[in-house]
Amino acid sequence: GGGGMPGIPNLSSLTSLLGDGRGARGREAQPGLTLHPPVPTGPGADAFRAAIRRGLTIKGITDPVARANWEAGMMVVGDRESDFNNTAVNGEDRNAREENHSAGTLQFTRTTFEAYHEPGTSADRSDNVAQVCAFVNYAMGHYGVSADGSDLAAKIQQADPTRPAKGY
C-alpha cells in the first residue's frame, strides 16, 4: 500500500471501506475517517433490536458480551438483507424461481426457517423474534458459530460490517 503517514502502512486503504463513497442505504458518506459504522436507528431498526433482545433471552443467551456479539451481527444482517423490513419478500432470486422465496427481516427461505425454527415461537417468517431465534439456531447449526457469538462475523460474512455483503 502506498502513501499515508510514516509508520502507519496503507492508511489510505481505509477509505475503501466506504466503497463507492456512499454510506449505509445509499446516503452520501460524510468526509473523514469513520472507525465505527453508524448505529442503525429508526422504527424498523429499533423494533428489530428489541426483537433480538427478546430472542436471545428465549435462546438462553444471557451473558452481556455474548448478547452484544449476536446483536451486532444480526443488526448488520437485518440492515443488509431487508433494511429492517420484516415484510420484505425477495421474489427474484434463484430461491424465488424455485418457489422457496426469502422473506422477513433476515430473509429466510421457508425451508430454512422451518428447519431451524425455535419451538414456541411464531411460525410466521415476518415475526422478528422467531427469525432471531431461527438465525441463532441456523448460525450455530449450519455454520458452527459459537454460543457466545464471538465468531459470528468471521463465519458469516453477511454479519461482518468490515467485509462486503454476501448472502448466507
Side-chain angles (χ1 to χ4, degrees):
M5 297 174 55
I8 303 177
N10 205 12
L11 183 61
S12 62
S13 70
L14 290 175
T15 59
S16 68
L17 293 177
L18 293 176
D20 65 357
R22 299 180 70 76
R25 289 185 283 289
R27 292 187 299 264
E28 287 298 322
Q30 298 299 312
L33 180 62
T34 302
L35 295 177
H36 299 284
V39 175
T41 59
D46 292 341
F48 188 59
R49 187 177 291 106
I52 291 170
R53 293 172 182 172
R54 286 192 304 276
L56 292 175
T57 298
I58 290 168
K59 292 299 302 165
I61 299 171
T62 58
D63 176 72
V65 173
R67 291 174 71 89
N69 291 337
W70 283 106
E71 182 176 317
M74 281 192 271
M75 288 298 290
V76 172
V77 175
D79 189 15
R80 287 178 167 177
E81 291 289 339
S82 68
D83 197 22
F84 305 110
N85 178 358
N86 68 314
T87 62
V89 175
N90 182 343
E92 300 185 17
D93 68 357
R94 176 183 51 86
N95 292 319
R97 288 189 297 276
E98 294 173 1
E99 298 184 20
N100 191 23
H101 65 275
S102 302
T105 303
L106 298 175
Q107 290 292 286
F108 273 103
T109 62
R110 178 187 41 76
T111 55
T112 301
F113 181 77
E114 289 172 357
Y116 292 95
H117 177 256
E118 180 72 20
T121 64
S122 174
D124 181 353
R125 282 184 289 165
S126 69
D127 184 286
N128 279 332
V129 173
Q131 280 222 352
V132 165
C133 291
F135 182 87
V136 171
N137 294 339
Y138 179 61
M140 291 172 59
H142 186 77
Y143 289 97
V145 172
S146 63
D148 69 1
S150 60
D151 54 356
L152 175 60
K155 291 186 174 176
I156 300 178
Q157 183 170 329
Q158 190 70 326
D160 185 347
T162 68
R163 295 189 287 167
K166 180 181 178 187
Y168 66 103

